[in-house]
Amino acid sequence: MPLHAPGVTDLYHFQYETVKGFFMQSEDGTDDSKFDFMKENFGLIDRKYGTEILDEEIAKQHWQSFERYVKRVNEKSADGESYKVLFLGRHGQGFHNVAETKYGTEAWDCYWSLLDGADGVTWSDALLTNVGKQQARDVNALWKALLPKGIPAPETYYVSPLTRTLQTADLSFKDLDLPSDRPYAPIGKELVREALGVHTCDRRSTASQIREDFPHVNLEPGFSEPDPLWLPDYREPRSARNYRLSQFLDDVFEHDNNAFLSFTSHSGAIASILAAINHRAFALQTGGVIPVFVKAKRVEGERKKPPHEPSEGPPPCKEPPAATKAS
């Protein structure tokens, strides 16, 4: 599978670290099973930044102070180093999520996920359910509430080219009153997809179909008509997924000079990004968002590629387990 990020050199890669002390989700004491980013200002910690701000009113606006701080550390960073704030958003509930709950994870992994759908429900390249759409609208409402209070709008919007993530990004950002220099112009990137292969929910539509359904999305250069990454008989192992998402980050940190970025993606992909930046594990419910403050340092040599491993997950079942057969 062609997993090399376009334009990323083999001469160097990046080492990442999470800068703690800015978002509650990055702190070890935060319980991810109870934390609600909707009620906690996306998790931004109320703190002082050490920046010399003369305007008392601006100083009271925590997001504006944080944005100034990020700008300052980038200006003072050494050659080959940079800092970015990534808003990592998981798509809202999709029909595949409902199906996995209905049939159970064991039966889903070995049988149902290999089908395009069942019981009148389609989950290949799954769409959002009404619940999932509302989850994305709730995130939109949070942005609408915080933008007038100084939260910096993302400067770049990256999105997985699967339908559920494209829908989520649109419902989250499309109608926001954004600054003219930070428009919502989503970029579809192959490498920020969910684990590849076997599960039909993770097989994307053709480029033609995506352009027809989402004409405002800019698909990255070289985006192929058919899905080049999904295989029906090989599920991407976690080590390969972690490598792929690290390559995605290398691509972004090498070519995007902006500091505030939005990634609309999937639970597995976000878990791999958190691992790449040495962030604590943090589970997200469908529709959840976690901001992370990241420092990157360019280092010599290509990123080490993991060895080829067997397909992840159980072998296919010839028929559904008796307890979960469709009625």
Side-chain angles (χ1 to χ4, degrees):
M1 290 182 285
L3 295 180
H4 199 283
V8 173
T9 177
D10 290 337
L11 299 178
Y12 55 82
H13 62 285
F14 291 89
Q15 288 181 345
Y16 302 100
E17 65 177 275
T18 297
V19 185
K20 290 190 172 185
F22 294 87
F23 291 105
M24 296 170 66
Q25 297 93 317
S26 300
E27 305 305 304
D28 294 336
T30 301
D31 185 344
D32 59 352
S33 69
K34 299 178 180 179
F35 185 78
D36 187 348
F37 72 98
M38 299 287 294
K39 297 178 180 178
E40 298 289 349
N41 196 23
F42 272 119
L44 185 68
I45 294 174
D46 182 359
R47 52 161 289 169
K48 295 182 178 180
Y49 292 92
T51 51
E52 297 178 2
I53 301 176
L54 300 179
D55 190 323
E56 291 287 334
E57 291 304 312
I58 291 179
K60 294 177 182 177
Q61 301 295 326
H62 300 307
W63 279 108
Q64 291 178 338
S65 297
F66 177 54
E67 184 177 23
R68 285 176 178 236
Y69 179 83
V70 174
K71 181 179 179 180
R72 181 184 180 188
V73 294
N74 271 313
E75 290 173 346
K76 294 181 175 293
S77 63
D79 186 42
E81 294 183 352
S82 62
Y83 295 80
K84 296 185 188 298
V85 179
L86 314 179
F87 287 90
L88 308 178
R90 184 184 177 189
H91 62 79
Q93 183 194 71
F95 283 100
H96 64 305
N97 300 124
V98 175
E100 182 176 354
T101 299
K102 175 181 178 179
Y103 300 119
T105 297
E106 181 180 358
W108 170 256
D109 284 341
C110 81
Y111 184 82
W112 298 105
S113 66
L114 284 65
L115 307 179
D116 286 347
D119 298 337
V121 176
T122 299
W123 54 71
S124 61
D125 192 10
L127 277 65
L128 294 181
T129 65
N130 287 335
V131 170
K133 292 176 182 178
Q134 186 57 52
Q135 289 171 333
R137 292 189 187 103
D138 290 343
V139 172
N140 174 271
L142 180 59
W143 279 103
K144 283 181 177 176
L146 293 181
L147 282 168
K149 298 181 180 180
I151 189 173
E155 298 165 277
T156 312
Y157 297 84
Y158 295 106
V159 59
S160 160
L162 293 173
T163 299
R164 59 189 180 272
T165 40
L166 294 166
Q167 289 180 308
T168 298
D170 277 1
L171 289 169
S172 297
F173 299 112
K174 199 172 183 180
D175 71 342
L176 293 178
D177 185 14
L178 297 168
S180 59
D181 61 342
R182 298 188 182 190
Y184 173 61
I187 303 170
K189 301 284 281 187
E190 292 275 38
L191 293 184
V192 75
R193 289 166 56 176
E194 185 56 289
L196 304 165
V198 180
H199 295 194
T200 64
C201 59
D202 299 325
R203 180 185 63 208
R204 72 160 169 81
S205 299
T206 63
S208 297
Q209 188 65 55
I210 295 171
R211 291 189 175 101
E212 179 179 342
D213 294 341
F214 302 94
H216 56 288
V217 174
N218 301 306
L219 299 179
E220 64 184 322
F223 196 90
S224 68
E225 175 66 11
D227 186 342
L229 302 180
W230 187 90
L231 297 174
D233 56 356
Y234 183 80
R235 183 73 170 165
E236 181 182 38
R238 180 173 299 188
S239 61
R241 191 188 72 200
N242 288 349
Y243 175 74
R244 170 167 58 89
L245 271 298
S246 294
Q247 284 196 306
F248 169 70
L249 289 175
D250 288 347
D251 182 20
V252 169
F253 275 79
E254 173 64 15
H255 298 109
D256 193 332
N257 293 324
N258 292 324
F260 287 84
L261 313 178
S262 169
F263 296 173
T264 305
S265 189
H266 311 263
S267 60
I270 291 172
S272 289
I273 289 174
L274 294 181
I277 64 174
N278 293 301
H279 192 283
R280 55 162 294 196
F282 199 95
L284 290 182
Q285 299 297 318
T286 52
V289 181
I290 176 173
V292 291
F293 188 22
V294 183
K295 177 184 178 181
K297 180 179 180 180
R298 185 185 294 168
V299 294
E300 293 184 0
E302 64 181 317
R303 181 173 294 283
K304 185 177 180 180
K305 187 175 182 178
H308 180 79
E309 295 180 326
S311 178
E312 184 147 298
C317 305
K318 293 183 179 180
E319 61 180 31
T324 64
K325 286 183 179 180
S327 57

